[in-house]
Amino acid sequence: MSLHLYFLRHGETIYSQTGGYCGELDPDLTPEGLQMAKAFANAHQSVPWTAVYVSPMKRTIATAKPLCEVTGMEMQLRDGLKEIRYGQWEGKTQEDVKKDYLEDYINWMTEPAWNAPTGGETAIEIASRASLVIAEIENRYTDGNVLVVSHKATIRIILCNLLGVDLGRYRDRIDCPAASLSVVKFDVHGPLLQRLGDRSYMDETLRSRPGT
């Protein structure tokens, strides 16, 4: 067997619906977001799970909870899986950020690996903290299926880091809609992407909901 990491983005929140910047803010899932979490659990409860690692935010915990309840798995909470810190942009719309922090916004859009939202976090910093969690998993489990429940930017940055993609291009190369699943197999030649942004386990009503 090989080690498989299942990266699951949390279900829908009001911010994923509207596109507002939400990193350290801690909203609940919407009713539809809870349905996404239950749909994931229903579709994946038969997977022989080895461990479940979760960002310690309400939206990620609520996403992992249905699967953990049905399988008896215990969540292992890790701060390294938290979302990007948006600093002074938290809770603001893109239009507000462009108006109030235009230079920082342009720099961040141009090269997010080394430029942060005002008072926030760069992709390099996110990759550094998240890689410690991935290293912990690799050291503890040589094979099996490990679920990692995290956030949009963080998952995309982790995937870029694993696959050798420029961290500054994480928004341009990796798609990660709400409650989507990406799977990486750790093989003899290194990490192999097997699934990306998969939401086929949901019904069409949930898959067609607008959002970021």
Side-chain angles (χ1 to χ4, degrees):
M1 287 183 63
S2 300
L3 175 64
H4 290 76
L5 296 191
Y6 288 67
F7 293 96
L8 178 64
R9 183 187 171 193
H10 63 76
E12 180 188 273
T13 69
I14 186 63
Y15 288 98
S16 68
Q17 274 191 308
T18 64
Y21 291 105
C22 174
E24 292 186 295
L25 296 179
D26 203 12
D28 291 313
L29 297 181
T30 63
E32 291 79 10
L34 290 170
Q35 290 177 33
M36 292 175 180
K38 291 175 182 176
F40 178 82
N42 290 337
H44 296 87
Q45 59 183 309
S46 62
V47 174
W49 295 106
T50 305
V52 178
Y53 283 74
V54 183
S55 162
M57 307 300 284
K58 288 192 291 187
R59 56 195 183 274
T60 39
I61 290 172
T63 300
K65 185 177 179 181
L67 180 77
C68 289
E69 287 181 340
V70 75
T71 61
M73 297 297 298
E74 181 180 351
M75 294 184 208
Q76 301 190 54
L77 304 182
R78 295 293 185 273
D79 284 346
L81 297 175
K82 286 183 176 180
E83 181 60 304
I84 178 175
R85 288 186 282 105
Y86 283 108
Q88 296 177 38
W89 300 5
E90 293 279 351
K92 296 182 181 295
T93 65
Q94 186 182 58
E95 291 72 25
D96 288 338
V97 168
K98 285 181 181 179
K99 181 179 67 175
D100 297 334
Y101 308 98
L102 181 58
E103 183 176 353
D104 286 350
Y105 176 79
I106 292 172
N107 291 335
W108 183 68
M109 290 298 293
T110 303
E111 183 46 86
W114 299 101
N115 293 291
T118 311
E121 201 173 16
T122 67
I124 294 292
E125 291 170 322
I126 296 163
S128 178
R129 60 171 166 80
S131 67
L132 296 177
V133 182
I134 303 304
E136 176 190 345
I137 294 171
E138 289 187 79
N139 288 333
R140 291 184 66 180
Y141 310 104
T142 57
D143 57 29
N145 303 295
V146 177
L147 179 63
V148 178
V149 186
S150 187
H151 307 264
K152 184 178 183 179
T154 304
I155 289 174
R156 292 195 288 183
I157 289 166
I158 291 172
L159 291 176
C160 284
N161 205 28
L162 288 175
L163 300 172
V165 177
D166 180 359
L167 293 181
R169 303 276 68 79
Y170 75 87
R171 290 191 299 259
D172 306 325
R173 300 291 182 262
I174 304 292
D175 195 18
C176 189
S180 63
L181 178 67
S182 299
V183 181
V184 173
K185 176 184 179 181
F186 286 78
D187 212 340
V188 291
H189 300 295
L192 172 68
L193 183 65
Q194 294 188 313
R195 269 191 274 176
L196 177 64
D198 181 19
R199 302 205 302 172
S200 60
Y201 68 87
M202 298 182 199
D203 63 35
E204 180 59 31
T205 301
L206 291 177
R207 284 200 305 271
S208 62
R209 288 185 62 77
T212 61

